């Protein structure tokens, strides 16, 4: 073996070890540590030209950024990953990159583009026999269906996804599905079923030490408590969520928590505090390109303006929210706001 080949092989081996460390850190919800390990791995091999490992590292790093709400940075990394996969004619990495780019379009509210990318990614997953990736894509399609108000299709996608991941023994992959199943049940008033899904997800997250999903499930439990009128319990859960979000520098999770905290404060009649929390949520949502969270924050801010007796501002902000939900394809939310606005005229 030539010395150059041996050196390249050693770099690749070291990069694989660093990648494994990065993925382990990501599994614990430690995005900063994951990014550091992925960066070190990329530096070791990127001068050797395009490889499947480099495409994977870029994608994994992108997901760590995405999960912290750093959407633009994630998109850049996903696009680089896709370029390498196409250059190598690597079907598997290409399908993974397409799925990740679909999640970016989804977050930004471009549901038509997201749907097309999910379809293309699913086709690639089927062609390569990647059943785990196909299960992840089914979960993402379920989220799209839920936003559009097609709850039956959403539950079908989630059930398909969960079955595939559990058959593979992929506990970490089951976490987002169980979280989404719980949210779907909660939105339809099936509180016991929602709690059961959250309990299953929380047990997995605790076992894996996944701080991100521990936070997300606490967030959604807090929403359930708000739905049930237990604002004190919601307060405690949201305090935990904001602590976790701060540890992880997670803009997305922070924004969700501030939105829900604002809703709790509004229900208590603490309109100034609610306004401050919701303005913070909106700021964080805009910074992370989270179009759905922006629409939700606007909806709650409209209600704050109404509580303050500012009827014109309330109407204006609620109309912005309705238009945002409509543009997202979240028609049930848009229709609900249209009915609310008709009562305010």
């Amino acid at each position: 073996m030539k010395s150059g080949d041996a050196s390249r092989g050693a770099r690749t081996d070291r990069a694989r070890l660093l990648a494994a460390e990065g993925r382990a850190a990501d599994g614990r919800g430690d995005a900063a540590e994951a990014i550091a390990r992925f960066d070190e791995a990329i530096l070791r091999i990127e001068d050797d030209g395009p490889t499947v490992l480099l495409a994977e590292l870029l994608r994994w790093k992108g997901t760590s950024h995405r999960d912290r709400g750093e959407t633009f940075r994630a998109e850049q990394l996903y696009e680089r990953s896709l370029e390498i996969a196409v250059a190598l004619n690597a079907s598997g990495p290409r399908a993974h990159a397409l799925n990740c780019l679909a999640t970016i379009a989804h977050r930004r509210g471009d549901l038509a583009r997201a749907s097309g990318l999910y379809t293309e990614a699913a086709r690639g997953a089927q062609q390569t026999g990647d059943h785990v990736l196909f299960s992840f894509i089914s979960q993402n399609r379920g989220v799209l269906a839920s936003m559009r108000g097609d709850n039956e299709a959403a539950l079908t996608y989630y059930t398909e996804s969960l079955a595939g991941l559990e058959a593979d023994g992929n506990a970490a992959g089951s976490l987002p599905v169980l979280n989404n199943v719980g949210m779907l049940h909660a939105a339809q008033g099936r509180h016991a079923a929602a709690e059961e899904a959250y309990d299953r997800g929380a047990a997995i997250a605790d076992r894996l030490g996944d701080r991100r999903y521990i936070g997300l499930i606490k967030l959604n439990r807090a929403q359930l408590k708000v739905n049930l009128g237990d604002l004190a319990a919601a307060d405690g859960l949201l305090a935990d969520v904001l602590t976790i979000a701060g540890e992880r520098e997670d803009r997305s999770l922070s924004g969700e928590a501030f939105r829900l905290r604002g809703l709790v404060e509004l229900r208590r009649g603490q309109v100034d505090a609610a306004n401050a929390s919701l303005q913070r949520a909106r700021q964080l949502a805009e910074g992370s390109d989270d179009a759905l969270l922006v629409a939700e924050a606007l909806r709650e801010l409209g209600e704050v303006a109404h509580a303050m007796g500012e009827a014109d501002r309330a109407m204006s902000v609620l109309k912005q929210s309705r238009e945002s939900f409509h543009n997202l394809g979240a028609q049930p939310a848009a229709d609900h706001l249209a009915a609310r606005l008709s009562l305010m005229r």
Side-chain angles (χ1 to χ4, degrees):
M1 181 184 291
K2 296 180 181 179
S3 61
D5 291 339
S7 177
R8 177 171 178 166
R11 289 195 299 274
T12 299
D13 288 344
R14 178 58 182 159
R16 290 188 188 282
L17 287 172
L18 289 164
E21 291 173 3
R23 298 201 76 188
D26 192 58
R28 296 191 302 271
D30 189 345
E33 178 67 17
I35 289 168
R37 298 284 76 75
F38 293 143
D39 274 338
E40 190 177 349
I42 289 165
L43 281 172
R44 289 182 179 269
I45 65 170
E46 63 182 345
D47 289 340
D48 292 333
T51 62
V52 167
L53 178 58
L54 180 57
E56 290 176 331
L57 282 163
L58 291 166
R59 188 181 75 247
W60 293 331
K61 183 185 174 190
T63 297
S64 294
H65 281 289
R66 184 195 69 197
D67 288 347
R68 293 206 303 185
E70 297 163 357
T71 307
F72 179 69
R73 183 66 181 130
E75 182 180 38
Q76 290 179 313
L77 290 160
Y78 291 153
E79 286 176 344
R80 285 183 62 196
S81 179
L82 179 61
E83 288 172 5
I84 292 170
V86 170
L88 295 172
N89 195 28
S91 299
R94 178 179 178 274
H96 276 281
L98 288 169
N99 177 55
C100 289
L101 284 167
T103 67
I104 298 297
H106 190 163
R107 174 175 286 182
R108 288 178 172 155
D110 189 348
L111 300 196
R113 173 170 166 75
S115 182
L117 287 168
Y118 285 141
T119 297
E120 191 175 355
R123 188 180 303 118
Q126 287 179 312
Q127 289 171 349
T128 59
D130 191 335
H131 304 299
V132 172
L133 175 58
F134 187 81
S135 296
F136 287 147
I137 296 167
S138 292
Q139 190 266 152
N140 292 335
R141 284 170 144 177
V143 176
L144 279 185
S146 180
M147 284 180 64
R148 288 169 168 159
D150 192 345
N151 294 323
E152 184 176 346
L155 189 56
T156 298
Y157 277 126
Y158 292 152
T159 301
E160 176 182 70
S161 176
L162 196 58
L165 291 165
E166 288 180 340
D168 187 67
N170 193 322
S174 300
L175 268 174
V177 189
L178 289 166
N179 189 48
N180 284 319
V181 168
M183 291 170 66
L184 183 64
H185 285 312
Q188 295 182 287
R190 296 192 293 268
H191 301 137
E195 287 283 17
E196 181 183 356
Y198 293 148
D199 285 345
R200 291 176 63 192
I204 294 170
D206 287 341
R207 187 172 76 247
L208 297 177
D210 189 326
R211 295 289 284 168
R212 177 168 181 261
Y213 269 96
I214 289 171
L216 280 169
I217 291 169
K218 282 179 177 287
L219 176 78
N220 290 318
R221 284 193 193 276
Q223 179 67 72
L224 187 59
K225 296 301 182 185
V226 171
N227 295 348
L228 294 169
D230 190 349
L231 302 185
D235 273 336
L237 289 163
L238 288 171
D240 290 346
V241 173
L242 285 167
T243 296
I244 292 169
E247 291 170 355
R248 301 188 64 252
E249 299 178 25
D250 190 329
R251 295 172 179 84
S252 181
L253 185 59
S254 290
E256 294 280 4
F258 276 113
R259 182 199 69 82
L260 193 50
R261 172 171 279 181
L263 183 57
V264 169
E265 290 163 341
L266 178 59
R267 293 199 178 183
R268 286 183 170 139
Q270 301 166 329
V271 290
D272 289 337
N275 187 61
S277 293
L278 290 165
Q279 292 290 0
R280 180 63 176 148
R282 180 181 181 181
Q283 179 186 40
L284 288 162
E286 290 173 342
S288 58
D289 283 337
D290 191 332
L292 180 60
L293 181 54
V294 170
E296 291 171 337
L298 284 170
R299 179 183 60 202
E300 321 307 0
L301 281 166
E303 295 298 344
V304 167
H306 181 70
M308 290 177 167
E310 300 175 13
D312 289 344
R313 185 165 74 92
M315 290 280 288
S316 175
V317 175
L318 289 172
K319 284 178 180 177
Q320 289 181 58
S321 179
R322 181 192 61 188
E323 183 176 350
S324 296
F325 280 121
H326 175 75
N327 292 339
L328 280 166
Q331 203 55 44
D335 290 344
H336 179 79
L337 277 173
R340 174 77 175 108
L341 285 162
S342 69
L343 294 173
M344 294 172 63
R345 290 191 180 96

